[in-house]
Amino acid sequence: SFQPQDRVKVIDDLLAPLDGLFIKSRRILDIGTGTGTIIPLLHSRYPDSKIISIDLALEMLVRARQRCKNASLVQAENTADY
């Protein structure tokens, strides 16, 4: 899979337009967190917000836990009927 070398800067650039909304938020829901790359960036950028990160894959949450020991992680289930 493609990962940009400067992905932290890419993520920072993507978050910048949301600062006005997120800076006031008490909670931020990170859906599809994967390996948790964004979790420490969210914590440092919005220190007063509780970050809750969700992913379907347990393997991804294990990797996110290794990256962020104190993260609030939730394994979601895909149970929607279509």
Side-chain angles (χ1 to χ4, degrees), residues 24-76:
K24 300 173 191 170
S25 299
R26 292 187 348 201
R27 291 181 199 91
I28 297 173
L29 184 59
D30 167 24
I31 300 174
T33 196
T35 62
T37 299
I38 199 170
I39 298 170
L41 299 173
L42 290 171
H43 276 294
S44 67
R45 196 170 185 111
Y46 313 110
D48 296 331
S49 298
K50 177 172 177 58
I51 313 299
I52 303 162
S53 300
I54 297 176
D55 204 280
L56 295 173
L58 179 59
E59 304 82 30
M60 293 291 104
L61 293 172
V62 168
R63 292 180 67 188
R65 173 66 65 213
Q66 292 168 345
R67 184 185 305 271
C68 309
K69 302 292 184 217
N70 297 324
S72 296
L73 302 174
V74 176
Q75 184 178 11

